[in-house]
Amino acid sequence: MSNKLTRRSLAAAVLAASAPAPAQTQNPPAEELERARDGVRRNREALAKFKIDRAVEPAFQFKPL
Amino acid sequence: MPSFDSSIFFSTIGELNAKLRAKEFSCVELTRAFCDRLERLGPRYNALALPLREDAIKQARKVDDDIKHERLRSPLQGIPYGAKDLLSVEGQPTAWGALPFAGQVFKYNARVIDKLAKAGSVLTGKLAMVELAGGPTYRFAAASMTGSGLNPWDRSRWSGGSSSGSGSAVAAGLVTYALGSETSGSILTPCSFCGITGLRPTYGLVSRYGAMALSWTLDKIGPMARSAEDCGIVLQAISGKDNDDPGSAGKSYYYSPQYARQFSDLTIGYHPADFEEHADEPARPAFRQALEMFKTFGSKLVEVEIPEFPYGPVISTILSGEAGAIFEDLIQSGQVDKLADAKQIAGLKASQEVLAKDYLKAMRIRALIQDAFRTLFSRVDVLLSPARNGVASKVSEPLDGGGRGSAATPKSRGLQGLIPAANLAGLPALCLPCGFADNLPVAISVVGRPFAENTLLAYGNEYQKKTDWHRRKPPVE
């Protein structure tokens, strides 16, 4: 299928892009960021508690090409 | 131009293709009617990211010429569809639902777009999505450049994410089927909330080439449609080996549920707690009914529990680690602040702090999860559970507010956490609408072994032969 960027589709995209982003009604970003960092720390702690045999390799393989 | 009865917009692929071949109408006429509807009603649900009328009509003309000369290509020939705006279409804006990427244009098609064009299907538009397919996480349905995905069954409710537009466009009859993608729940959730059928394929079965990467090891592209059969038809067209996708499994898929094993030879794993204590109360009658229907198929049913692993921390660490690397430039440049959802912005920034050792620990636990599911699937052939525990949330409410399950702690974990768990293990899943609660759709899911899509679809076909939940239409007009 041949797809060219038409004036119509470009206008639609620009229009969408210029629409105001929905208002942020939640906590200020600083608190939100701290919460997200806490999440990373909590995940780290949860993973650390999980005992795993040293022989277990990650669920992906390096493949020489 | 013929005036189309509204039922045409809710026809299955097979029904529409038969009418096209019988020349009841031309593909151009059908395409124009679908484009009109998509452009008129798409904005009502914030489902439309980009109309592609001009190219759709060109493709439809080719289809009409093919049909005229009896060059019959596939059941998808002439069928209008929509694609999640995470898939690149040559020369057209592909914004990934995110303001920082609003002007992005690729010079090539995603592999799945090319495959569907070859099958003769007609792309009528790009469909809206949650920004960056949800990133590490987000709090509000409004986490999209195009606004909250609104549910055709009730516009005060969310259509689900991250394939929001795909869900509402299929449900509202704006396209016959759509492509969605799932990293962890992004096909199953909108299908469940919008009352449509969806298939999350086995990881690697469908090429990710030309799709936005959120997580290289978790992303899957799959069909969202009106029936299990339609999902099978689309999956056959889009699957297959692709050297341009490093995660490609190198396998093809042929839709042939008739060759799946007899139901009487199969075992279904389930847990009653998923249909009772864990489920939101209003949804329980529908879930019970679906379970009873599956019991009539002749399969053996056994109670199972999901293997015990910290699925949340594992998937969150893998997703954050990979998304943090993929979107490093966006985050470091500060463009990330243009995203709509504060939690999404914060999650992407915090993703830069995921340590390599934690990512690798999560991937090592993931290997154990794969093993545990392999063991579980030595006892059962499929797992049956509610796709989501209840109905679509209100668009005004935060998505991390929790469900309406039993106040008491359930005695068993049942199969709770199956969405992240099965995504970590790369397993396929089929979402089947199974009734209503509070006048909103609910659905069950059937999960199987890797590459067991035909078994899932055989169950789906049987269930949909005996029920009509998948044929219900929302009050669109």
Side-chain angles (χ1 to χ4, degrees):
Chain A
M1 195 181 342
S2 152
N3 287 299
K4 297 285 172 273
L5 182 60
T6 61
R7 271 182 295 181
R8 184 194 180 100
S9 59
L10 187 61
V14 169
L15 201 66
S18 62
Q24 302 281 1
T25 55
Q26 286 303 286
N27 297 325
E31 285 177 33
E32 194 73 72
L33 184 57
E34 198 40 52
R35 239 200 312 260
R37 285 177 171 147
D38 266 352
V40 171
R41 278 192 288 270
R42 269 183 277 112
N43 286 341
R44 184 175 300 147
E45 285 161 14
L47 296 177
K49 277 185 203 156
F50 193 91
K51 297 300 165 205
I52 192 165
D53 193 292
R54 196 171 292 142
V56 176
E57 294 199 8
F60 55 72
Q61 286 180 312
F62 171 74
K63 293 177 194 166
L65 299 172
Chain B
M1 180 165 160
S3 70
F4 287 100
D5 181 78
S6 79
S7 65
I8 206 81
F9 301 109
F10 294 90
S11 300
T12 63
I13 290 169
E15 290 162 354
L16 271 189
N17 188 253
K19 289 178 194 289
L20 281 166
R21 288 183 185 196
K23 300 188 176 66
E24 286 187 29
F25 41 75
S26 73
C27 183
V28 168
E29 289 165 343
L30 183 71
T31 300
R32 284 206 172 107
F34 265 100
C35 285
D36 289 348
R37 190 174 168 89
L38 178 62
E39 289 165 25
R40 183 165 56 89
L41 296 175
R44 184 188 289 184
Y45 307 108
N46 291 335
L48 183 58
L50 183 72
L52 292 169
R53 177 185 287 264
E54 201 175 305
D55 292 324
I57 301 290
K58 272 187 209 163
Q59 168 82 342
R61 285 205 179 97
K62 281 188 206 164
V63 170
D64 279 336
D65 189 54
D66 280 346
I67 291 175
K68 185 178 164 190
H69 293 94
E70 298 199 346
R71 292 189 292 261
L72 303 181
R73 300 189 188 281
S74 86
L76 289 169
Q77 193 170 21
I79 308 299
Y81 82 101
K84 186 175 182 177
D85 194 29
L86 124 166
L87 297 163
S88 66
V89 172
E90 182 192 350
Q92 299 287 3
T94 298
W96 301 342
L99 199 56
F101 297 100
Q104 176 175 247
V105 177
F106 292 94
K107 291 180 180 168
Y108 55 89
N109 283 337
R111 186 69 76 237
V112 288
I113 300 289
D114 273 341
K115 282 181 173 247
L116 289 172
K118 197 174 167 194
S121 208
V122 178
L123 178 62
T124 53
K126 306 280 283 303
L127 301 174
M129 57 183 280
V130 171
E131 53 191 2
L132 308 182
T137 184
Y138 51 103
R139 178 163 297 122
F140 287 103
S144 173
M145 181 178 113
T146 44
S148 305
L150 305 182
N151 196 312
W153 291 93
D154 176 351
R155 293 201 317 135
S156 72
R157 301 282 177 156
W158 188 35
S159 57
S162 64
S163 308
S164 319
S166 301
S168 48
V170 174
L174 315 185
V175 291
T176 303
Y177 72 94
L179 294 180
S181 74
E182 172 150 335
T183 304
S184 184
S186 289
I187 289 176
L188 293 196
T189 301
C191 285
S192 175
F193 286 178
C194 292
I196 62 170
T197 308
L199 180 68
R200 178 189 73 217
T202 306
Y203 176 82
L205 186 59
V206 177
S207 170
R208 296 172 294 120
Y209 175 76
M212 184 205 88
L214 174 60
S215 161
W216 301 294
T217 67
L218 285 162
D219 297 344
K220 283 86 54 185
I221 296 163
M224 299 165 68
R226 304 208 174 287
S227 67
E229 175 162 282
D230 282 6
C231 286
I233 291 168
V234 177
L235 183 63
Q236 177 170 318
I238 61 175
S239 63
K241 179 182 176 178
D242 187 356
N243 291 333
D244 289 328
D245 175 0
S248 175
K251 285 179 186 277
S252 295
Y253 166 78
Y254 295 95
Y255 175 55
S256 51
Q258 65 273 29
Y259 300 121
R261 282 160 61 203
Q262 299 273 317
F263 294 131
S264 54
D265 294 340
L266 298 173
T267 303
I268 298 172
Y270 81 107
H271 200 286
D274 294 316
F275 296 79
E276 299 294 340
E277 299 104 289
H278 288 295
D280 291 350
E281 206 159 350
R284 289 177 195 169
F287 292 147
R288 274 181 216 134
Q289 243 183 17
L291 179 60
E292 289 309 309
M293 178 60 78
F294 269 77
K295 285 179 180 172
T296 67
F297 295 170
S299 300
K300 186 178 163 192
L301 274 92
V302 297
E303 287 187 21
V304 294
E305 276 190 324
I306 195 165
E308 197 169 4
F309 285 98
Y311 296 111
V314 170
I315 201 159
S316 180
T317 302
I318 293 169
L319 217 163
S320 288
E322 295 187 20
I326 291 163
F327 293 111
E328 185 183 359
D329 288 350
L330 177 79
I331 299 160
Q332 300 299 337
S333 68
Q335 289 286 308
V336 69
D337 290 322
K338 290 185 180 170
L339 293 177
D341 192 89
K343 189 175 181 182
Q344 164 97 284
I345 296 167
L348 282 165
K349 288 182 177 174
S351 72
Q352 303 300 285
E353 296 171 18
V354 173
L355 303 179
K357 76 174 181 70
D358 295 329
Y359 175 78
L360 289 166
K361 177 85 177 267
M363 286 299 268
R364 291 170 72 209
I365 299 173
R366 189 179 185 182
L368 298 181
I369 291 170
Q370 277 186 293
D371 275 347
F373 271 92
R374 201 175 301 133
T375 304
L376 180 58
F377 277 112
S378 66
R379 292 174 51 212
V380 302
D381 295 284
V382 297
L383 297 170
L384 181 69
S385 73
R388 301 286 314 199
N389 285 338
V391 300
S393 46
K394 289 183 177 159
V395 287
S396 54
E397 288 176 354
L399 304 172
D400 44 8
R404 291 186 293 167
S406 171
T409 308
K411 290 186 189 103
S412 164
R413 61 182 179 274
L415 290 171
Q416 294 297 297
L418 190 56
I419 287 182
N423 273 286
L424 283 164
L427 307 176
L430 180 66
C431 178
L432 301 163
C434 71
F436 290 83
D438 300 334
N439 296 317
L440 290 162
V442 291
I444 46 163
S445 71
V446 192
V447 173
R449 297 187 184 98
F451 309 107
E453 277 80 358
N454 272 328
T455 304
L456 306 187
L457 291 167
Y459 273 115
N461 287 343
E462 188 66 12
Y463 182 73
Q464 293 186 335
K465 256 187 233 163
K466 296 181 172 173
T467 61
D468 69 349
W469 303 116
H470 62 296
R471 305 295 313 227
R472 302 290 177 100
K473 299 173 202 169
V476 175
E477 288 179 293

